[in-house]
Amino acid sequence: MPLHVPPAPAPALRSVLTALSSPTAVREARTPSLLGSQGPATPELPLPVHVLDRITPEGVTATRLTGWRFLIRCGDRAVAAAETKLTPDGWAFSHFFEGPYVASTERALRQAESVPQAYQPRLLSLPGLYMLTLWLHGDCTADAAAGHPAASDLLVPLAPAPPGIAAHRPHRVAELLPVLTHRVTATRLLRSPA
């Protein structure tokens, strides 16, 4: 079933298009794959980026939207990504980047298209675990800028995933949440002074 990719805010898309047309922005990005790409670079698949700062034993606290990420396609593959952020003046281009999360996001999105249920794709970052997931939200009509993972939503850890968590294996939030809660608690205990 096709994914229901939410539309990005028009100013966010415009800021990425402006950055792509700016030789200075592309050159200063230090993304060799974007610099060396042949043909036009186009932003595709806008995904809202949510951050989950806290997981409690009772469940997930609300997420916060931190930006929109666009995969930058040259030819038949994504070569980089562009991130936008919300500023007091509205949506603005933040930076270009490349690395394993670009290919991993593209792979996870292809896998998600074969799932029988319709989902709204988002990205969910768990900074406490250095983990990024493709969040497949079951309510395709929901505001992409708000909400929190529902128990029946799917989380697909992107590579590189933390040790012991398989990348590209979909997990229901209700199944993965206890594992993540345990991991975050253990990480906090290791970091606290004795």
Side-chain angles (χ1 to χ4, degrees):
M1 181 156 289
L3 295 174
H4 294 269
V5 178
L13 176 58
R14 277 194 304 272
S15 73
V16 171
L17 290 170
T18 300
L20 279 171
S21 66
S22 164
T24 304
V26 172
R27 189 171 47 254
E28 289 179 1
R30 294 187 177 86
T31 51
S33 59
L34 188 57
L35 283 168
S37 65
Q38 301 296 319
T42 56
E44 294 183 352
L45 295 168
L47 297 173
V49 180
H50 292 261
V51 172
L52 180 60
D53 290 317
R54 221 167 31 124
I55 303 172
T56 66
E58 295 78 37
V60 174
T61 58
T63 64
R64 60 185 168 86
L65 180 71
T66 60
W68 281 81
R69 183 172 296 173
F70 297 78
L71 293 180
I72 306 299
R73 184 169 300 284
C74 289
D76 63 344
R77 68 183 186 97
V79 296
E83 189 105 3
T84 63
K85 63 182 179 180
L86 191 57
T87 69
D89 295 325
W91 288 101
F93 171 75
S94 176
H95 61 280
F96 290 115
F97 66 94
E98 60 184 50
Y101 285 133
V102 174
S104 187
T105 301
E106 191 172 39
R107 176 181 170 187
L109 286 166
R110 278 195 313 270
Q111 287 176 308
E113 288 177 343
S114 66
V115 175
Q117 182 180 338
Y119 287 102
Q120 181 189 82
R122 303 171 176 196
L123 292 173
L124 182 64
S125 173
L126 295 97
L129 294 174
Y130 303 101
M131 182 177 179
L132 183 64
T133 68
L134 176 64
W135 167 16
L136 298 173
H137 191 52
D139 183 356
C140 295
T141 61
D143 177 3
H148 65 278
S152 60
D153 288 354
L154 295 178
L155 295 178
V156 182
L158 300 180
I165 297 177
H168 297 286
R169 183 174 172 263
H171 302 270
R172 293 238 176 259
V173 168
E175 297 164 0
L176 188 57
L177 186 61
V179 174
L180 298 179
T181 303
H182 176 72
R183 287 277 183 105
V184 168
T185 304
T187 302
R188 281 194 194 122
L189 288 175
L190 289 173
R191 289 184 187 158
S192 26

